[in-house]
């Protein structure tokens, strides 16, 4: 679909309550959808803040509702980079672990608790969370695998956790078991028949579990098409039980569906549509059914607030969730191919990688692209026109040098020619360099120079310890790229020289920090730092120092700008 002109600007900092963003055809009209740059999403933020206030004194207790609340806070954190949401969730899990270590209570054998353990390990790399997750995984996988265990627990609901674990710790053979358990769950699930919320084995929970597990499935996994078909069937069932006039899901007795079930269905429809598993019409339906819940959102906080927050965090993305639909952002893992050992002793890619949720990763940048409906993928081999033709965007960040990787893959003239030909045909290339002591500049210039962009081999914005002032970059807004005011932080950068038709997009103290160039039908974007990595974007790092910066908000504007650059 055609994207709006880069001259269009946001007219506010909240999404509209009325859903004017979809025309009758389902196409987005961006000018009608003001973005919440760097702001906590409006409804999700309201609910999340109330949860923090109401539960501030809770200790090491755990319930399914606690797990749902923390899932919602995880989503609100990733949608806003408000670190207090992460810190609250971490404190709740830490209290449960401490109570278990002190013998005050057994650790909960709840899949939602297991998901929190895995998230906390991936973000912090703390071995405590890994050890607890491994122990809980053994219990949950055993309960799912053993027919005798199903007599007391008929349906396994651990699939999202087990799928994520299999993905993170490289156990692709486990997906067949997860798929099998989803089949059993679908066979036993039912539509609620009254005003009493269904159990966690119901259709609403199943739909939410599917959209949470599917992102971890390999694209070529043989069970994936069947799970997508299941999700479509569930969406069809939801449509059959919808009061289309009033925007409510109805139980079999024609009474409104309980809030917890309705919110989880709305979440599943919204996320499923955003990730391309379901058609855009399901996103429209989700927003339609969300409107009556919003009318009394204040009254609903306090009851089923976990599902309410889960739905709110997803639906706050809905007005712009299809801007990147059908587009793929391919991340280089060839010129930067650094490896580390994970907690299981396996070699894994890290450092500016989509799957890396620790300080060094691009997991939050991946989420920014995905929040607009774009897909993210990784290229582990040399770039060729044939491979790149399957993507609309190609991102290279901080190419290796021997101190970072003893066997670096340097850019060659042949590589540069292949990439330039792809750009000329309409591709969007994103080059995020680094400072000279930490990245290869000379070889990357074999590519950048073709577009009039030259990375200067000099060290700028040098930071000693936490003397952050040299990394402060004020942005006044109203520029060709950033329409909102920001304060960025970049630590140790190079600089960019321009020639030909290349133009500066952002300068700091006389240096070109970001620039772009047109090349044939394509576009090249260049920056002097891989600045959108998690450490200085996700809001966790020493809020008393780093909360003055808003890299996340700038990243959201950059992603929107990039989505507008593709000719299709």
């Amino acid at each position: 679909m055609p994207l709006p002109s880069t001259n269009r600007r946001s007219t506010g900092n909240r999404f509209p309550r009325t859903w004017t963003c979809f025309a009758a055809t389902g196409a987005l009209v961006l000018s009608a959808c003001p973005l919440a740059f760097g702001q906590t999403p409006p409804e999700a933020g309201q609910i999340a803040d109330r949860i923090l206030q109401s539960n501030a004194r809770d200790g090491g207790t755990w319930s399914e509702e606690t797990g749902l609340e923390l899932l919602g806070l995880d989503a609100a954190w990733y949608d806003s980079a408000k670190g207090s949401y992460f810190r609250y969730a971490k404190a709740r899990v830490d209290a449960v672990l401490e109570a278990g270590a002190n013998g005050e209570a057994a650790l909960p054998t709840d899949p939602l608790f297991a998901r929190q353990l895995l998230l906390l390990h991936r973000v912090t790399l703390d071995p405590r969370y890994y050890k607890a997750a491994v122990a809980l995984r053994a219990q949950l996988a055993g309960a799912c695998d053993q027919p005798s265990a199903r007599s007391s627990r008929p349906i396994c609901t651990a699939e999202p956790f087990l799928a994520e674990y299999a993905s993170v710790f490289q156990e692709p053979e486990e997906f067949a078991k997860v798929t099998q358990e989803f089949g059993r769950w679908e066979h036993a699930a039912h539509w609620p028949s009254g005003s009493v919320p269904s159990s966690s084995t119901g259709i609403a929970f199943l739909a939410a579990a599917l959209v949470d597990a599917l992102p971890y499935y390999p694209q070529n996994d043989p069970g994936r098409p069947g799970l997508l078909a299941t999700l479509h069937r569930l969406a069809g069932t939801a449509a059959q039980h919808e009061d289309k006039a009033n925007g409510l899901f109805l139980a079999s007795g024609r009474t409104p569906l309980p809030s917890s079930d309705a919110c989880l269905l709305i979440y599943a429809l919204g996320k499923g549509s955003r990730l391309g598993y379901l058609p855009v019409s399901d996103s429209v339906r989700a927003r339609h059914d969300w409107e009556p819940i919003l009318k009394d959102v204040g009254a609903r906080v306090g009851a089923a607030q976990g599902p309410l927050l889960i739905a709110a965090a997803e639906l706050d993305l809905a007005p712009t969730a299809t801007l990147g639909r059908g587009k793929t952002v391919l991340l280089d893992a060839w010129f930067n191919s650094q490896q580390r050992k994970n907690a299981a002793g396996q070699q894994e890619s890290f450092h500016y990688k989509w799957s890396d949720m620790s300080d060094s990763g691009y997991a939050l940048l991946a989420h920014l692209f995905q929040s607009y409906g774009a897909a993210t993928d990784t290229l582990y081999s040399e770039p060729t026109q044939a491979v790149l033709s399957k993507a609309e965007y190609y991102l290279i960040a901080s190419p290796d040098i021997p101190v970072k990787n003893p066997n670096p893959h340097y850019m060659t003239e042949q590589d540069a020619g292949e990439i330039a030909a792809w750009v000329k045909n309409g591709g969007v290339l994103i080059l995020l360099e680094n400072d000279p002591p930490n990245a290869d500049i000379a070889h990357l210039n074999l590519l950048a120079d073709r577009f009039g962009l030259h990375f200067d081999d000099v060290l700028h914005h040098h930071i000693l310890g936490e003397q952050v002032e040299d990394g402060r970059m004020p942005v006044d807004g109203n520029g060709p790229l950033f329409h909102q005011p920001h304060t960025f932080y970049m630590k140790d950068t190079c600089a960019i020289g321009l020639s030909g038709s290349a133009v500066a997009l952002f300068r700091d103290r006389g240096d070109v920090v970001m620039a772009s160039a047109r090349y044939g039908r394509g576009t090249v974007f260049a920056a002097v730092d891989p600045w959108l990595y998690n450490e200085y974007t996700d809001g966790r790092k020493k809020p008393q120092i780093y909360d003055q910066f808003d890299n996340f908000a700038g990243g959201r504007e950059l992603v929107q700008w990039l989505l507008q650059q593709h000719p299709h």
Side-chain angles (χ1 to χ4, degrees), residues 268-302:
L269 292 174
K271 184 174 180 179
S273 179
R274 175 172 60 83
L275 296 182
Y277 305 149
L278 295 172
V280 173
S281 58
D282 281 313
S283 182
V284 177
R285 176 175 295 111
R287 186 67 185 185
H288 178 63
D289 295 320
W290 179 238
E291 290 295 339
I293 293 178
L294 285 183
K295 292 178 182 177
D296 61 345
V297 66
R300 290 174 185 266
V301 174

Side-chain angles (χ1 to χ4, degrees), residues 199-223:
S199 70
S200 60
T201 59
I203 279 181
F205 281 81
L206 171 58
L210 278 166
V211 298
D212 285 350
L214 275 165
Y216 298 108
Y217 265 69
Q219 288 290 323
N220 61 352
D221 185 90

